[in-house]
Amino acid sequence: SVKRMTSTPSMLTATRHGDHDQIAVITLDRPEVMNAISTEFALQITAVMTQLAAVQGVSVVVLASSAQRAFCVGADLKERGDFSTEQLMAHRDVSRAAYRSVLDLPMPAVAAVDGYALGGGLELALSCDLIVASASAVLALPKVSVGLIPGGGGTQLLQRRLGWSAAASLIFTARRLSADSAHDLGLVDLMSNTDAALPAALALAKEISANSPVALREAKQ
């Protein structure tokens, strides 16, 4: 069974999935801009994750996209183009809070990555505990190519997964990885055997949710 959670903002959908509603699916839903993270979108991500963190009945969170073209392409650069220095600094804090809200979820989190996961989009996936990808996935932290650095935790989170040299290579070159290459490197934990990542991510979430919810939270902590 799948049912919609209440009080869901317009740029995200939140549903409970499973026989006992232990799995929450949070769907990024700005397909017209490939889920680019605007200030309002970042605020909504933080609000949903903060609300979800307090729900005791959820054992696993799955973070997905409403469109297979992209999981998330990172910051909304069109919005940023009109920012003053003060607005840019404020947006940076709001954006970081969104990544932190995913990272701080008390229950295991699984990212279901289809299409592009670039910059802040990959950082959202890295903020989850496990990453499932379909064959269409393209992953990169290309920030240095546009005069920036991965400011949403990517410099730390990628190193934790891959070690210093592999993380440094990807960050310094801004190289894009196919799903297969990312899986071989250890950036992706599980490859979907279909053209979409969500079914495999839900299967993994179901396997996880069969275990003690208290133990899962303690193990993550």
Side-chain angles (χ1 to χ4, degrees), residues 69-104:
R69 184 184 177 195
F71 175 75
C72 175
V73 294
D76 190 332
L77 297 180
K78 184 176 181 181
E79 178 194 53
R80 281 191 182 187
D82 295 326
F83 277 175
S84 66
T85 300
E86 291 76 15
Q87 288 174 315
L88 186 61
M89 296 298 288
H91 173 80
R92 185 173 66 176
D93 291 340
V94 168
S95 181
R96 285 177 174 173
Y99 302 125
R100 172 57 65 179
S101 71
V102 178
L103 191 65
D104 285 348

PDB file of all heavy atoms in Angstrom, residues 69-104:
ATOM      1  N   ARG A  69      14.758  11.850 -15.978  1.00  0.00           N
ATOM      2  CA  ARG A  69      15.799  12.623 -16.648  1.00  0.00           C
ATOM      3  C   ARG A  69      16.869  13.096 -15.683  1.00  0.00           C
ATOM      4  O   ARG A  69      18.047  13.217 -16.043  1.00  0.00           O
ATOM      5  CB  ARG A  69      15.169  13.829 -17.346  1.00  0.00           C
ATOM      6  CG  ARG A  69      16.153  14.657 -18.153  1.00  0.00           C
ATOM      7  CD  ARG A  69      15.479  15.879 -18.744  1.00  0.00           C
ATOM      8  NE  ARG A  69      16.417  16.725 -19.460  1.00  0.00           N
ATOM      9  CZ  ARG A  69      16.176  17.972 -19.829  1.00  0.00           C
ATOM     10  NH1 ARG A  69      14.996  18.509 -19.558  1.00  0.00           N
ATOM     11  NH2 ARG A  69      17.082  18.677 -20.464  1.00  0.00           N
ATOM     12  N   ALA A  70      16.466  13.382 -14.444  1.00  0.00           N
ATOM     13  CA  ALA A  70      17.435  13.897 -13.477  1.00  0.00           C
ATOM     14  C   ALA A  70      16.974  13.621 -12.061  1.00  0.00           C
ATOM     15  O   ALA A  70      15.792  13.801 -11.730  1.00  0.00           O
ATOM     16  CB  ALA A  70      17.652  15.393 -13.661  1.00  0.00           C
ATOM     17  N   PHE A  71      17.897  13.193 -11.223  1.00  0.00           N
ATOM     18  CA  PHE A  71      17.680  13.140  -9.787  1.00  0.00           C
ATOM     19  C   PHE A  71      17.690  14.568  -9.248  1.00  0.00           C
ATOM     20  O   PHE A  71      16.742  15.023  -8.622  1.00  0.00           O
ATOM     21  CB  PHE A  71      18.774  12.295  -9.133  1.00  0.00           C
ATOM     22  CG  PHE A  71      18.716  12.265  -7.639  1.00  0.00           C
ATOM     23  CD1 PHE A  71      17.754  11.517  -6.974  1.00  0.00           C
ATOM     24  CD2 PHE A  71      19.646  12.973  -6.879  1.00  0.00           C
ATOM     25  CE1 PHE A  71      17.697  11.485  -5.579  1.00  0.00           C
ATOM     26  CE2 PHE A  71      19.604  12.949  -5.493  1.00  0.00           C
ATOM     27  CZ  PHE A  71      18.639  12.208  -4.842  1.00  0.00           C
ATOM     28  N   CYS A  72      18.758  15.296  -9.526  1.00  0.00           N
ATOM     29  CA  CYS A  72      18.865  16.707  -9.159  1.00  0.00           C
ATOM     30  C   CYS A  72      20.140  17.257  -9.767  1.00  0.00           C
ATOM     31  O   CYS A  72      21.197  16.613  -9.694  1.00  0.00           O
ATOM     32  CB  CYS A  72      18.889  16.856  -7.638  1.00  0.00           C
ATOM     33  SG  CYS A  72      19.169  18.557  -7.053  1.00  0.00           S
ATOM     34  N   VAL A  73      20.057  18.439 -10.378  1.00  0.00           N
ATOM     35  CA  VAL A  73      21.226  19.037 -11.026  1.00  0.00           C
ATOM     36  C   VAL A  73      21.904  20.087 -10.149  1.00  0.00           C
ATOM     37  O   VAL A  73      22.755  20.845 -10.621  1.00  0.00           O
ATOM     38  CB  VAL A  73      20.858  19.653 -12.387  1.00  0.00           C
ATOM     39  CG1 VAL A  73      20.429  18.568 -13.359  1.00  0.00           C
ATOM     40  CG2 VAL A  73      19.766  20.722 -12.233  1.00  0.00           C
ATOM     41  N   GLY A  74      21.533  20.154  -8.864  1.00  0.00           N
ATOM     42  CA  GLY A  74      22.204  21.071  -7.961  1.00  0.00           C
ATOM     43  C   GLY A  74      21.513  22.410  -7.862  1.00  0.00           C
ATOM     44  O   GLY A  74      20.298  22.518  -8.021  1.00  0.00           O
ATOM     45  N   ALA A  75      22.298  23.432  -7.596  1.00  0.00           N
ATOM     46  CA  ALA A  75      21.748  24.762  -7.325  1.00  0.00           C
ATOM     47  C   ALA A  75      21.002  25.326  -8.524  1.00  0.00           C
ATOM     48  O   ALA A  75      21.337  25.055  -9.682  1.00  0.00           O
ATOM     49  CB  ALA A  75      22.870  25.710  -6.922  1.00  0.00           C
ATOM     50  N   ASP A  76      19.988  26.112  -8.229  1.00  0.00           N
ATOM     51  CA  ASP A  76      19.230  26.822  -9.259  1.00  0.00           C
ATOM     52  C   ASP A  76      20.031  28.055  -9.673  1.00  0.00           C
ATOM     53  O   ASP A  76      19.913  29.129  -9.081  1.00  0.00           O
ATOM     54  CB  ASP A  76      17.861  27.221  -8.705  1.00  0.00           C
ATOM     55  CG  ASP A  76      16.928  27.745  -9.771  1.00  0.00           C
ATOM     56  OD1 ASP A  76      17.429  28.292 -10.773  1.00  0.00           O
ATOM     57  OD2 ASP A  76      15.702  27.633  -9.593  1.00  0.00           O
ATOM     58  N   LEU A  77      20.863  27.896 -10.685  1.00  0.00           N
ATOM     59  CA  LEU A  77      21.781  28.966 -11.092  1.00  0.00           C
ATOM     60  C   LEU A  77      21.035  30.153 -11.692  1.00  0.00           C
ATOM     61  O   LEU A  77      21.503  31.291 -11.609  1.00  0.00           O
ATOM     62  CB  LEU A  77      22.808  28.422 -12.081  1.00  0.00           C
ATOM     63  CG  LEU A  77      23.729  27.329 -11.532  1.00  0.00           C
ATOM     64  CD1 LEU A  77      24.703  26.865 -12.610  1.00  0.00           C
ATOM     65  CD2 LEU A  77      24.482  27.798 -10.296  1.00  0.00           C
ATOM     66  N   LYS A  78      19.878  29.901 -12.293  1.00  0.00           N
ATOM     67  CA  LYS A  78      19.089  31.003 -12.844  1.00  0.00           C
ATOM     68  C   LYS A  78      18.638  31.937 -11.727  1.00  0.00           C
ATOM     69  O   LYS A  78      18.695  33.161 -11.856  1.00  0.00           O
ATOM     70  CB  LYS A  78      17.883  30.456 -13.604  1.00  0.00           C
ATOM     71  CG  LYS A  78      17.069  31.534 -14.297  1.00  0.00           C
ATOM     72  CD  LYS A  78      15.941  30.921 -15.130  1.00  0.00           C
ATOM     73  CE  LYS A  78      15.146  31.998 -15.836  1.00  0.00           C
ATOM     74  NZ  LYS A  78      14.031  31.430 -16.644  1.00  0.00           N
ATOM     75  N   GLU A  79      18.197  31.357 -10.613  1.00  0.00           N
ATOM     76  CA  GLU A  79      17.803  32.181  -9.472  1.00  0.00           C
ATOM     77  C   GLU A  79      19.008  32.939  -8.922  1.00  0.00           C
ATOM     78  O   GLU A  79      18.931  34.119  -8.611  1.00  0.00           O
ATOM     79  CB  GLU A  79      17.203  31.302  -8.378  1.00  0.00           C
ATOM     80  CG  GLU A  79      16.802  32.081  -7.129  1.00  0.00           C
ATOM     81  CD  GLU A  79      16.535  31.197  -5.922  1.00  0.00           C
ATOM     82  OE1 GLU A  79      17.417  30.375  -5.585  1.00  0.00           O
ATOM     83  OE2 GLU A  79      15.461  31.348  -5.310  1.00  0.00           O
ATOM     84  N   ARG A  80      20.127  32.254  -8.810  1.00  0.00           N
ATOM     85  CA  ARG A  80      21.328  32.865  -8.231  1.00  0.00           C
ATOM     86  C   ARG A  80      21.830  34.053  -9.051  1.00  0.00           C
ATOM     87  O   ARG A  80      22.451  34.967  -8.515  1.00  0.00           O
ATOM     88  CB  ARG A  80      22.453  31.835  -8.127  1.00  0.00           C
ATOM     89  CG  ARG A  80      22.337  30.891  -6.955  1.00  0.00           C
ATOM     90  CD  ARG A  80      23.620  30.109  -6.812  1.00  0.00           C
ATOM     91  NE  ARG A  80      23.570  29.156  -5.728  1.00  0.00           N
ATOM     92  CZ  ARG A  80      24.620  28.444  -5.324  1.00  0.00           C
ATOM     93  NH1 ARG A  80      25.787  28.581  -5.944  1.00  0.00           N
ATOM     94  NH2 ARG A  80      24.505  27.600  -4.330  1.00  0.00           N
ATOM     95  N   GLY A  81      21.558  34.030 -10.341  1.00  0.00           N
ATOM     96  CA  GLY A  81      22.065  35.082 -11.206  1.00  0.00           C
ATOM     97  C   GLY A  81      21.573  36.466 -10.838  1.00  0.00           C
ATOM     98  O   GLY A  81      22.221  37.466 -11.158  1.00  0.00           O
ATOM     99  N   ASP A  82      20.441  36.546 -10.162  1.00  0.00           N
ATOM    100  CA  ASP A  82      19.866  37.842  -9.774  1.00  0.00           C
ATOM    101  C   ASP A  82      20.133  38.194  -8.313  1.00  0.00           C
ATOM    102  O   ASP A  82      19.639  39.202  -7.816  1.00  0.00           O
ATOM    103  CB  ASP A  82      18.351  37.828 -10.014  1.00  0.00           C
ATOM    104  CG  ASP A  82      18.006  37.690 -11.485  1.00  0.00           C
ATOM    105  OD1 ASP A  82      18.767  38.222 -12.318  1.00  0.00           O
ATOM    106  OD2 ASP A  82      16.989  37.048 -11.797  1.00  0.00           O
ATOM    107  N   PHE A  83      20.931  37.371  -7.617  1.00  0.00           N
ATOM    108  CA  PHE A  83      21.155  37.596  -6.196  1.00  0.00           C
ATOM    109  C   PHE A  83      22.144  38.726  -5.940  1.00  0.00           C
ATOM    110  O   PHE A  83      23.137  38.885  -6.663  1.00  0.00           O
ATOM    111  CB  PHE A  83      21.718  36.326  -5.545  1.00  0.00           C
ATOM    112  CG  PHE A  83      20.677  35.308  -5.151  1.00  0.00           C
ATOM    113  CD1 PHE A  83      21.061  34.072  -4.646  1.00  0.00           C
ATOM    114  CD2 PHE A  83      19.327  35.568  -5.285  1.00  0.00           C
ATOM    115  CE1 PHE A  83      20.119  33.129  -4.283  1.00  0.00           C
ATOM    116  CE2 PHE A  83      18.381  34.628  -4.924  1.00  0.00           C
ATOM    117  CZ  PHE A  83      18.779  33.404  -4.427  1.00  0.00           C
ATOM    118  N   SER A  84      21.900  39.463  -4.870  1.00  0.00           N
ATOM    119  CA  SER A  84      22.915  40.354  -4.321  1.00  0.00           C
ATOM    120  C   SER A  84      23.871  39.511  -3.483  1.00  0.00           C
ATOM    121  O   SER A  84      23.621  38.323  -3.232  1.00  0.00           O
ATOM    122  CB  SER A  84      22.255  41.413  -3.428  1.00  0.00           C
ATOM    123  OG  SER A  84      21.676  40.785  -2.291  1.00  0.00           O
ATOM    124  N   THR A  85      24.975  40.116  -3.044  1.00  0.00           N
ATOM    125  CA  THR A  85      25.919  39.396  -2.195  1.00  0.00           C
ATOM    126  C   THR A  85      25.233  38.909  -0.924  1.00  0.00           C
ATOM    127  O   THR A  85      25.438  37.763  -0.484  1.00  0.00           O
ATOM    128  CB  THR A  85      27.110  40.296  -1.823  1.00  0.00           C
ATOM    129  OG1 THR A  85      27.765  40.692  -3.025  1.00  0.00           O
ATOM    130  CG2 THR A  85      28.092  39.561  -0.931  1.00  0.00           C
ATOM    131  N   GLU A  86      24.395  39.747  -0.324  1.00  0.00           N
ATOM    132  CA  GLU A  86      23.701  39.373   0.898  1.00  0.00           C
ATOM    133  C   GLU A  86      22.747  38.205   0.656  1.00  0.00           C
ATOM    134  O   GLU A  86      22.649  37.278   1.472  1.00  0.00           O
ATOM    135  CB  GLU A  86      22.916  40.575   1.449  1.00  0.00           C
ATOM    136  CG  GLU A  86      23.783  41.708   1.981  1.00  0.00           C
ATOM    137  CD  GLU A  86      24.422  42.546   0.863  1.00  0.00           C
ATOM    138  OE1 GLU A  86      23.965  42.435  -0.310  1.00  0.00           O
ATOM    139  OE2 GLU A  86      25.364  43.289   1.175  1.00  0.00           O
ATOM    140  N   GLN A  87      22.031  38.248  -0.473  1.00  0.00           N
ATOM    141  CA  GLN A  87      21.121  37.152  -0.793  1.00  0.00           C
ATOM    142  C   GLN A  87      21.881  35.853  -1.054  1.00  0.00           C
ATOM    143  O   GLN A  87      21.434  34.770  -0.669  1.00  0.00           O
ATOM    144  CB  GLN A  87      20.281  37.515  -2.019  1.00  0.00           C
ATOM    145  CG  GLN A  87      19.219  38.563  -1.752  1.00  0.00           C
ATOM    146  CD  GLN A  87      18.525  38.987  -3.045  1.00  0.00           C
ATOM    147  OE1 GLN A  87      19.171  39.235  -4.058  1.00  0.00           O
ATOM    148  NE2 GLN A  87      17.202  39.063  -2.990  1.00  0.00           N
ATOM    149  N   LEU A  88      23.026  35.956  -1.692  1.00  0.00           N
ATOM    150  CA  LEU A  88      23.829  34.775  -1.974  1.00  0.00           C
ATOM    151  C   LEU A  88      24.308  34.128  -0.676  1.00  0.00           C
ATOM    152  O   LEU A  88      24.272  32.905  -0.528  1.00  0.00           O
ATOM    153  CB  LEU A  88      25.023  35.138  -2.853  1.00  0.00           C
ATOM    154  CG  LEU A  88      25.881  33.975  -3.359  1.00  0.00           C
ATOM    155  CD1 LEU A  88      25.054  33.033  -4.216  1.00  0.00           C
ATOM    156  CD2 LEU A  88      27.076  34.502  -4.150  1.00  0.00           C
ATOM    157  N   MET A  89      24.737  34.945   0.273  1.00  0.00           N
ATOM    158  CA  MET A  89      25.201  34.415   1.551  1.00  0.00           C
ATOM    159  C   MET A  89      24.048  33.756   2.313  1.00  0.00           C
ATOM    160  O   MET A  89      24.216  32.691   2.918  1.00  0.00           O
ATOM    161  CB  MET A  89      25.816  35.535   2.390  1.00  0.00           C
ATOM    162  CG  MET A  89      27.068  36.143   1.779  1.00  0.00           C
ATOM    163  SD  MET A  89      28.426  34.956   1.600  1.00  0.00           S
ATOM    164  CE  MET A  89      28.910  34.765   3.320  1.00  0.00           C
ATOM    165  N   ALA A  90      22.880  34.373   2.267  1.00  0.00           N
ATOM    166  CA  ALA A  90      21.714  33.804   2.943  1.00  0.00           C
ATOM    167  C   ALA A  90      21.307  32.484   2.295  1.00  0.00           C
ATOM    168  O   ALA A  90      20.975  31.513   2.989  1.00  0.00           O
ATOM    169  CB  ALA A  90      20.549  34.789   2.915  1.00  0.00           C
ATOM    170  N   HIS A  91      21.349  32.443   0.952  1.00  0.00           N
ATOM    171  CA  HIS A  91      20.996  31.215   0.245  1.00  0.00           C
ATOM    172  C   HIS A  91      21.962  30.095   0.597  1.00  0.00           C
ATOM    173  O   HIS A  91      21.553  28.936   0.719  1.00  0.00           O
ATOM    174  CB  HIS A  91      21.007  31.455  -1.265  1.00  0.00           C
ATOM    175  CG  HIS A  91      20.821  30.202  -2.059  1.00  0.00           C
ATOM    176  ND1 HIS A  91      19.586  29.628  -2.270  1.00  0.00           N
ATOM    177  CD2 HIS A  91      21.717  29.388  -2.683  1.00  0.00           C
ATOM    178  CE1 HIS A  91      19.721  28.540  -2.994  1.00  0.00           C
ATOM    179  NE2 HIS A  91      21.001  28.363  -3.250  1.00  0.00           N
ATOM    180  N   ARG A  92      23.219  30.418   0.755  1.00  0.00           N
ATOM    181  CA  ARG A  92      24.217  29.396   1.084  1.00  0.00           C
ATOM    182  C   ARG A  92      23.865  28.707   2.400  1.00  0.00           C
ATOM    183  O   ARG A  92      23.936  27.484   2.516  1.00  0.00           O
ATOM    184  CB  ARG A  92      25.605  30.032   1.165  1.00  0.00           C
ATOM    185  CG  ARG A  92      26.722  29.025   1.376  1.00  0.00           C
ATOM    186  CD  ARG A  92      28.079  29.664   1.271  1.00  0.00           C
ATOM    187  NE  ARG A  92      28.326  30.624   2.345  1.00  0.00           N
ATOM    188  CZ  ARG A  92      29.483  31.259   2.513  1.00  0.00           C
ATOM    189  NH1 ARG A  92      30.472  31.070   1.654  1.00  0.00           N
ATOM    190  NH2 ARG A  92      29.642  32.096   3.516  1.00  0.00           N
ATOM    191  N   ASP A  93      23.455  29.493   3.399  1.00  0.00           N
ATOM    192  CA  ASP A  93      23.080  28.915   4.687  1.00  0.00           C
ATOM    193  C   ASP A  93      21.825  28.056   4.563  1.00  0.00           C
ATOM    194  O   ASP A  93      21.730  26.978   5.157  1.00  0.00           O
ATOM    195  CB  ASP A  93      22.844  30.027   5.713  1.00  0.00           C
ATOM    196  CG  ASP A  93      24.127  30.747   6.097  1.00  0.00           C
ATOM    197  OD1 ASP A  93      25.213  30.173   5.885  1.00  0.00           O
ATOM    198  OD2 ASP A  93      24.044  31.887   6.599  1.00  0.00           O
ATOM    199  N   VAL A  94      20.843  28.525   3.785  1.00  0.00           N
ATOM    200  CA  VAL A  94      19.607  27.769   3.585  1.00  0.00           C
ATOM    201  C   VAL A  94      19.904  26.455   2.871  1.00  0.00           C
ATOM    202  O   VAL A  94      19.368  25.392   3.224  1.00  0.00           O
ATOM    203  CB  VAL A  94      18.595  28.610   2.779  1.00  0.00           C
ATOM    204  CG1 VAL A  94      17.430  27.757   2.300  1.00  0.00           C
ATOM    205  CG2 VAL A  94      18.091  29.777   3.617  1.00  0.00           C
ATOM    206  N   SER A  95      20.770  26.511   1.862  1.00  0.00           N
ATOM    207  CA  SER A  95      21.122  25.326   1.098  1.00  0.00           C
ATOM    208  C   SER A  95      21.841  24.307   1.967  1.00  0.00           C
ATOM    209  O   SER A  95      21.540  23.108   1.936  1.00  0.00           O
ATOM    210  CB  SER A  95      22.008  25.733  -0.088  1.00  0.00           C
ATOM    211  OG  SER A  95      22.350  24.622  -0.868  1.00  0.00           O
ATOM    212  N   ARG A  96      22.786  24.771   2.747  1.00  0.00           N
ATOM    213  CA  ARG A  96      23.523  23.855   3.630  1.00  0.00           C
ATOM    214  C   ARG A  96      22.590  23.185   4.630  1.00  0.00           C
ATOM    215  O   ARG A  96      22.755  22.013   4.966  1.00  0.00           O
ATOM    216  CB  ARG A  96      24.623  24.615   4.369  1.00  0.00           C
ATOM    217  CG  ARG A  96      25.827  24.948   3.514  1.00  0.00           C
ATOM    218  CD  ARG A  96      26.837  25.770   4.287  1.00  0.00           C
ATOM    219  NE  ARG A  96      28.061  25.990   3.530  1.00  0.00           N
ATOM    220  CZ  ARG A  96      29.042  26.784   3.920  1.00  0.00           C
ATOM    221  NH1 ARG A  96      28.941  27.451   5.066  1.00  0.00           N
ATOM    222  NH2 ARG A  96      30.125  26.934   3.182  1.00  0.00           N
ATOM    223  N   ALA A  97      21.610  23.924   5.115  1.00  0.00           N
ATOM    224  CA  ALA A  97      20.649  23.357   6.065  1.00  0.00           C
ATOM    225  C   ALA A  97      19.849  22.223   5.423  1.00  0.00           C
ATOM    226  O   ALA A  97      19.505  21.238   6.094  1.00  0.00           O
ATOM    227  CB  ALA A  97      19.709  24.442   6.576  1.00  0.00           C
ATOM    228  N   ALA A  98      19.560  22.346   4.138  1.00  0.00           N
ATOM    229  CA  ALA A  98      18.819  21.288   3.440  1.00  0.00           C
ATOM    230  C   ALA A  98      19.633  20.000   3.387  1.00  0.00           C
ATOM    231  O   ALA A  98      19.129  18.912   3.690  1.00  0.00           O
ATOM    232  CB  ALA A  98      18.456  21.746   2.031  1.00  0.00           C
ATOM    233  N   TYR A  99      20.910  20.106   3.008  1.00  0.00           N
ATOM    234  CA  TYR A  99      21.754  18.911   2.985  1.00  0.00           C
ATOM    235  C   TYR A  99      21.885  18.321   4.377  1.00  0.00           C
ATOM    236  O   TYR A  99      21.847  17.106   4.566  1.00  0.00           O
ATOM    237  CB  TYR A  99      23.146  19.242   2.430  1.00  0.00           C
ATOM    238  CG  TYR A  99      23.132  19.833   1.048  1.00  0.00           C
ATOM    239  CD1 TYR A  99      23.758  21.054   0.779  1.00  0.00           C
ATOM    240  CD2 TYR A  99      22.503  19.187   0.006  1.00  0.00           C
ATOM    241  CE1 TYR A  99      23.740  21.611  -0.483  1.00  0.00           C
ATOM    242  CE2 TYR A  99      22.475  19.739  -1.270  1.00  0.00           C
ATOM    243  CZ  TYR A  99      23.100  20.948  -1.504  1.00  0.00           C
ATOM    244  OH  TYR A  99      23.077  21.489  -2.757  1.00  0.00           O
ATOM    245  N   ARG A 100      22.064  19.188   5.367  1.00  0.00           N
ATOM    246  CA  ARG A 100      22.226  18.724   6.748  1.00  0.00           C
ATOM    247  C   ARG A 100      20.974  18.007   7.231  1.00  0.00           C
ATOM    248  O   ARG A 100      21.057  17.020   7.970  1.00  0.00           O
ATOM    249  CB  ARG A 100      22.544  19.931   7.646  1.00  0.00           C
ATOM    250  CG  ARG A 100      22.553  19.638   9.133  1.00  0.00           C
ATOM    251  CD  ARG A 100      23.523  18.552   9.534  1.00  0.00           C
ATOM    252  NE  ARG A 100      24.897  18.918   9.304  1.00  0.00           N
ATOM    253  CZ  ARG A 100      25.927  18.114   9.602  1.00  0.00           C
ATOM    254  NH1 ARG A 100      25.708  16.915  10.127  1.00  0.00           N
ATOM    255  NH2 ARG A 100      27.166  18.506   9.350  1.00  0.00           N
ATOM    256  N   SER A 101      19.795  18.470   6.808  1.00  0.00           N
ATOM    257  CA  SER A 101      18.559  17.836   7.258  1.00  0.00           C
ATOM    258  C   SER A 101      18.446  16.405   6.741  1.00  0.00           C
ATOM    259  O   SER A 101      17.872  15.538   7.419  1.00  0.00           O
ATOM    260  CB  SER A 101      17.338  18.660   6.822  1.00  0.00           C
ATOM    261  OG  SER A 101      17.123  18.586   5.417  1.00  0.00           O
ATOM    262  N   VAL A 102      18.983  16.148   5.549  1.00  0.00           N
ATOM    263  CA  VAL A 102      19.013  14.776   5.023  1.00  0.00           C
ATOM    264  C   VAL A 102      20.057  13.963   5.778  1.00  0.00           C
ATOM    265  O   VAL A 102      19.803  12.835   6.215  1.00  0.00           O
ATOM    266  CB  VAL A 102      19.309  14.776   3.512  1.00  0.00           C
ATOM    267  CG1 VAL A 102      19.381  13.337   2.978  1.00  0.00           C
ATOM    268  CG2 VAL A 102      18.259  15.573   2.754  1.00  0.00           C
ATOM    269  N   LEU A 103      21.229  14.533   5.941  1.00  0.00           N
ATOM    270  CA  LEU A 103      22.319  13.839   6.627  1.00  0.00           C
ATOM    271  C   LEU A 103      21.938  13.481   8.060  1.00  0.00           C
ATOM    272  O   LEU A 103      22.343  12.429   8.578  1.00  0.00           O
ATOM    273  CB  LEU A 103      23.561  14.731   6.621  1.00  0.00           C
ATOM    274  CG  LEU A 103      24.893  14.117   7.052  1.00  0.00           C
ATOM    275  CD1 LEU A 103      25.332  13.035   6.081  1.00  0.00           C
ATOM    276  CD2 LEU A 103      25.954  15.196   7.147  1.00  0.00           C
ATOM    277  N   ASP A 104      21.149  14.325   8.707  1.00  0.00           N
ATOM    278  CA  ASP A 104      20.790  14.130  10.111  1.00  0.00           C
ATOM    279  C   ASP A 104      19.557  13.256  10.324  1.00  0.00           C
ATOM    280  O   ASP A 104      19.125  13.089  11.478  1.00  0.00           O
ATOM    281  CB  ASP A 104      20.552  15.487  10.782  1.00  0.00           C
ATOM    282  CG  ASP A 104      21.848  16.226  11.071  1.00  0.00           C
ATOM    283  OD1 ASP A 104      22.929  15.611  10.975  1.00  0.00           O
ATOM    284  OD2 ASP A 104      21.776  17.430  11.395  1.00  0.00           O
TER     285      ASP A 104
END
